[in-house]
Amino acid sequence: MIFYSDEDRYRTESFAAELQPATHEVRERFFTWIDAKSPQGRTEPLAALRRAMRMEPEAIFLLSDGDFEDRVVTEVRSINHAETKICCLVFDELLLQNMGDTPPTLNANARRLRQIAEDSGGWMMIVTAKELRRAK
């Protein structure tokens, strides 16, 4: 997992320098590490996506509100040389409030994430209060 923000000029921080096996010990260290994190700064995912793509994973899961410039979509397409699938989970404050059965209308931020997912052969899902409640 790589965290990103615009603080300190596009700071990224990752759990480990390389991909890790999903052993019990690694999962325990990961959850201890992630429990100490909280959102900071604005959304600027490019540095984190570049860092993740250097690891050459089969897929990247991008959790974001999508509140970044349109140029990010084009740049992500151009840096994805290994054709890594990017699966986007949209965490938008307004969309999170949706408790109904009708899918929420995509705003500009969600459309950016949908485009990143489609360009890479991945998928996009809007996380709503209903999904969060169902996951408990």
Side-chain angles (χ1 to χ4, degrees), residues 52-85:
M53 287 182 191
R54 282 195 299 268
M55 294 181 191
E56 299 182 1
E58 292 179 21
I60 293 172
F61 291 83
L62 176 60
L63 286 62
S64 177
D65 59 4
D67 187 14
F68 46 75
E69 297 176 18
D70 290 335
R71 68 170 176 76
V72 170
V73 176
T74 305
E75 289 188 44
V76 168
R77 188 180 311 121
S78 72
I79 64 174
N80 192 0
H81 305 294
E83 299 181 1
T84 298
K85 291 182 180 178

Side-chain angles (χ1 to χ4, degrees), residues 15-65:
F15 169 67
E18 298 177 351
L19 296 177
Q20 299 291 303
T23 64
H24 178 74
E25 294 80 19
V26 170
R27 286 194 308 265
E28 281 187 357
R29 285 195 335 263
F30 170 75
F31 285 116
T32 300
W33 177 77
I34 200 168
D35 281 345
K37 304 298 175 199
S38 62
Q40 299 173 343
R42 294 186 32 109
T43 305
E44 181 49 67
L46 277 175
L49 287 168
R50 281 188 185 103
R51 188 171 179 177
M53 287 182 191
R54 282 195 299 268
M55 294 181 191
E56 299 182 1
E58 292 179 21
I60 293 172
F61 291 83
L62 176 60
L63 286 62
S64 177
D65 59 4

